[in-house]
């Protein structure tokens, strides 16, 4: 008789970790992989947990090992591989079975797949998983999209394996169809911005103040005990403290300065633009990664293009700490504004405060700020005006301004911190400069404009050019 409560297809880093997490919590798990020679070594590595694991070398055997109604979790590359696997497995399943895509998928694909599988009576769940390999193995943050029926069936399993914050499982049913994958995408976009801002502060200390890596790492470790407490600050402090055993140099100084990306940051920017919302800190971070890939051009330009005309003293470390805190707040504000816009656009009714709460443990952007953010989201004013974020931002933006100004004078790039400051200065001005843009549009295209002294659409009496 089939006995497995859930099946995990895909035994790469994340799939293997999730399967072991499930087995460790007492769930019987069927496992399979496209390369079948991965299965036996995985079961051998599972050691004592292997009693809860059943390997299957064919898709038919994998499905046959699952108790009904079946639950199948795919942890495979996004895009065409998911469509291919769905086409293969759907005929083997019965109405009422559930299929989970736990990879980083484009939420537009998830919406399409959910609709197609619903016609066959199958529940399709797009689930965001954050926390990397360690999180997947010992407790990730999980963002679940899909039907209420699918969530009801999965909830006991997912709450058991998720990270917890003060006893609260870091998992939620965030909304229907593609909501889970959209929320995970924006999570990753905010992760890009946070990482970039930390790297910019590192650059000011390294190139502006001349600090060695281990001294910067010690400072970051100190910051991790204060309002900047977060997983990414902790990771950064750790990375800066480790030395290469062969050369004795800080390992970070031996790493090529070209950052990779898998697309979720870019997706966030694209969707933000479609929704008419600003994600400028995330866009700056995506752009910085693209510039980092142009290593040869940067090497040529360093010799050919003039540097800043004058150097500048670097701000005090405490000002950099406050600047980073202000920038991080703006990055979160922008990400949550994008999610709010998507919720309205797609009718998802996202509980944004709950999303902030499930990110307090397990996920990559977990930080002390998320409690404050959740509290602000439960209040009525626009998020930037809700306490305690309003006061926190106001108390620290002067340091952000000073740090960006010093960096500009020294010719040291801080694109994400600059974007955060530009957003703040734009949002706090009741009268901006778009009136001139509207005039320009009417001069060359007769697009019309609204007036501040009378209703309706108007045109200017512009002279011929």
């Amino acid at each position: 008789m089939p006995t497995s409560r859930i099946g995990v297809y895909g035994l790469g880093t994340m799939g293997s970790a999730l399967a072991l997490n499930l087995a460790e919590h007492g769930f019987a798990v069927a496992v399979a992989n496209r390369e079948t020679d991965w299965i036996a070594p995985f079961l051998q590595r599972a050691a004592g947990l292997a009693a809860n694991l059943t390997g299957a070398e064919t898709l038919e055997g994998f499905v046959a090992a699952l108790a009904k109604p079946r639950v199948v979790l795919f942890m495979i590359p996004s895009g065409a591989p998911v469509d291919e696997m769905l086409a293969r497995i759907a005929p083997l399943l019965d109405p009422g079975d559930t299929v989970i895509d736990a990879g980083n998928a484009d939420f537009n694909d998830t919406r399409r797949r959910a609709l197609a599988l619903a016609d066959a009576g199958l529940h399709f769940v797009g689930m965001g998983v954050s926390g990397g390999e360690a999180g997947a193995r010992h407790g990730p943050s999980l963002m679940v999209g899909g039907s209420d029926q699918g969530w009801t069936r999965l909830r006991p399993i997912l709450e058991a394996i998720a990270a917890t914050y003060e006893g609260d499982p870091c998992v939620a049913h965030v909304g229907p169809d593609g909501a889970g994958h959209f929320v995970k995408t924006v999570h990753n976009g905010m992760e890009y911005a946070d990482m970039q801002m930390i790297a910019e502060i590192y650059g000011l200390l390294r190139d502006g103040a001349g600090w060695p890596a281990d001294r910067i790492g010690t400072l970051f470790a100190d910051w991790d005990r204060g309002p900047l407490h977060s997983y990414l600050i902790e990771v950064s402090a750790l990375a800066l403290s480790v030395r290469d055993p062969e050369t004795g140099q800080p390992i970070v100084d031996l790493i090529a300065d070209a950052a990779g990306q898998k697309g979720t940051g870019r997706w966030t920017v694209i969707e933000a633009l479609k929704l008419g919302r600003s994600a400028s800190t995330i866009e700056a971070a995506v752009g910085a990664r693209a510039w980092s890939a142009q290593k040869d051009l940067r090497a040529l330009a360093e010799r050919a293009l003039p540097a800043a005309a004058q150097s500048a003293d670097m701000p005090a470390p405490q000002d950099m700490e406050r600047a980073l805190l202000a920038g991080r707040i703006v990055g979160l504000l922008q990400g949550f504004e994008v999610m709010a816009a998507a919720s309205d656009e797609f009718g998802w009714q996202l509980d944004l405060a709950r999303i902030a709460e499930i990110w307090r443990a397990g996920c990559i952007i977990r930080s002390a700020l998320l409690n404050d953010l959740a509290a602000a989201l439960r209040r009525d004013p626009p998020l930037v005006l809700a306490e305690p974020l309003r006061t926190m931002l106001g108390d620290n933006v002067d340091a952000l301004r000073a740090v960006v100004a010093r960096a500009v004078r020294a010719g040291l790039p801080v694109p994400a911190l600059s974007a955060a400051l530009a957003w703040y200065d734009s949002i706090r001005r009741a009268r901006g400069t778009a009136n001139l843009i509207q005039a320009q549009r009417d001069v060359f295209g007769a697009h019309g404009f609204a007036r501040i002294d009378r209703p309706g659409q108007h045109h200017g009496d512009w002279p011929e050019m």
Side-chain angles (χ1 to χ4, degrees):
M1 293 291 293
T3 58
S4 296
R5 179 84 174 271
I6 185 171
V8 175
Y9 190 98
L11 293 178
T13 299
M14 293 292 287
S16 296
L18 278 176
L20 293 174
N21 189 351
L22 288 159
E24 189 170 56
H25 283 86
F27 297 105
V29 185
V31 297
N33 196 71
R34 184 181 66 175
E35 295 83 6
T36 56
D37 57 350
W38 290 23
I39 299 171
F42 167 73
L43 294 174
Q44 186 174 12
R45 291 194 304 271
L49 296 177
N52 287 336
L53 297 164
T54 300
E57 295 197 355
T58 67
L59 194 59
E60 291 78 8
F62 175 66
V63 172
L66 300 174
K68 296 182 179 182
R70 305 177 185 92
V71 176
V72 175
L73 185 152
F74 286 132
M75 185 57 87
I76 60 178
S78 61
V82 175
D83 287 323
E84 178 187 342
M85 285 305 306
L86 290 175
R88 291 179 57 198
I89 203 169
L92 305 177
L93 301 177
D94 297 323
D97 289 349
T98 300
V99 180
I100 307 167
D101 177 8
N104 281 331
D106 184 326
F107 86 104
N108 295 293
D109 288 338
T110 305
R111 300 189 79 205
R112 168 179 58 80
R113 291 163 183 153
L115 187 62
L117 291 181
D119 292 339
L122 301 174
H123 300 293
F124 186 67
V125 171
M127 184 172 74
V129 180
S130 180
E133 179 183 6
R137 176 63 184 86
H138 301 292
S141 175
L142 301 170
M143 296 137 265
V144 183
S147 67
D148 290 337
Q149 300 96 313
W151 167 241
T152 299
R153 181 173 304 156
L154 295 175
R155 185 172 185 172
I157 301 174
L158 300 181
E159 287 187 343
I161 68 168
T164 59
Y165 181 84
E166 296 181 353
D168 181 21
C170 291
V171 55
H173 179 218
V174 298
D177 52 69
H181 277 147
F182 187 91
V183 170
K184 176 56 164 56
T185 294
V186 177
H187 165 284
N188 285 20
M190 290 187 286
E191 178 185 309
Y192 273 52
D194 204 351
M195 293 171 71
Q196 176 63 29
M197 290 181 199
I198 294 170
E200 288 172 13
I201 294 294
Y202 157 74
L204 295 180
L205 290 165
R206 184 193 68 184
D207 301 327
W211 284 25
D214 54 359
R215 185 180 178 187
I216 303 172
T218 299
L219 178 66
F220 283 5
D222 288 340
W223 289 356
D224 192 44
R225 291 186 280 270
L228 283 176
H229 172 61
S230 66
Y231 177 70
L232 283 172
I233 289 289
E234 180 185 357
V235 165
S236 302
L238 174 67
L240 289 161
S241 69
V242 174
R243 291 185 173 269
D244 175 46
E246 294 183 13
T247 65
Q249 297 182 59
I251 188 69
V252 72
D253 290 344
L254 300 175
I255 297 175
D257 63 322
Q261 53 183 312
K262 293 186 176 180
T264 45
R266 183 170 63 249
W267 292 349
T268 304
V269 174
I270 291 169
E271 296 305 328
L273 292 174
K274 287 181 180 178
L275 293 164
R277 290 296 184 272
S278 168
S280 59
T281 57
I282 301 170
E283 182 179 3
V286 173
R289 292 199 188 189
W291 299 332
S292 79
Q294 297 179 286
K295 179 67 174 178
D296 292 343
L297 175 60
R298 288 188 287 119
L300 290 171
E302 183 175 24
R303 297 191 295 269
L305 299 179
Q310 60 181 350
S311 61
D313 294 334
M314 287 297 100
Q318 58 266 32
D319 288 333
M320 292 194 190
E321 179 183 20
R322 292 174 55 215
L324 185 53
L325 179 61
R328 173 175 276 177
I329 292 170
V330 172
L332 288 170
L333 289 171
Q334 290 187 344
F336 274 79
E337 281 193 349
V338 171
M339 287 190 287
S343 183
D344 291 340
E345 176 73 16
F346 302 112
W348 284 339
Q349 297 183 319
L350 297 180
D351 185 341
L352 298 177
R354 181 59 185 154
I355 290 170
E357 288 171 350
I358 68 172
W359 288 347
R360 293 177 299 181
C363 79
I364 300 300
I365 66 169
R366 59 186 184 266
S367 75
L369 267 177
L370 289 168
N371 270 326
D372 298 313
L373 179 63
L377 285 162
R378 296 199 185 282
R379 295 185 167 92
D380 289 335
L383 187 55
V384 67
L385 302 180
E387 295 294 353
L389 295 186
R390 175 184 174 183
T391 296
M392 294 174 68
L393 191 54
D395 287 347
N396 292 286
V397 74
D398 59 331
L400 176 61
R401 191 179 309 284
V403 167
V404 170
R406 295 279 187 89
V408 170
R409 286 181 59 197
L412 296 173
V414 286
L417 290 170
S418 298
L421 180 60
W423 179 90
Y424 177 87
D425 283 337
S426 297
I427 289 297
R428 63 165 299 279
R429 295 191 66 83
R431 188 185 186 202
T433 56
N435 53 319
L436 178 57
I437 294 172
Q438 287 299 83
Q440 293 167 342
R441 295 177 71 241
D442 195 55
V443 169
F444 67 69
H447 292 290
F449 51 82
R451 292 178 59 122
I452 60 175
D453 57 348
R454 66 192 69 168
Q457 187 78 349
H458 302 272
H459 292 280
D461 186 15
W462 313 112
E464 292 289 333
M465 293 182 66

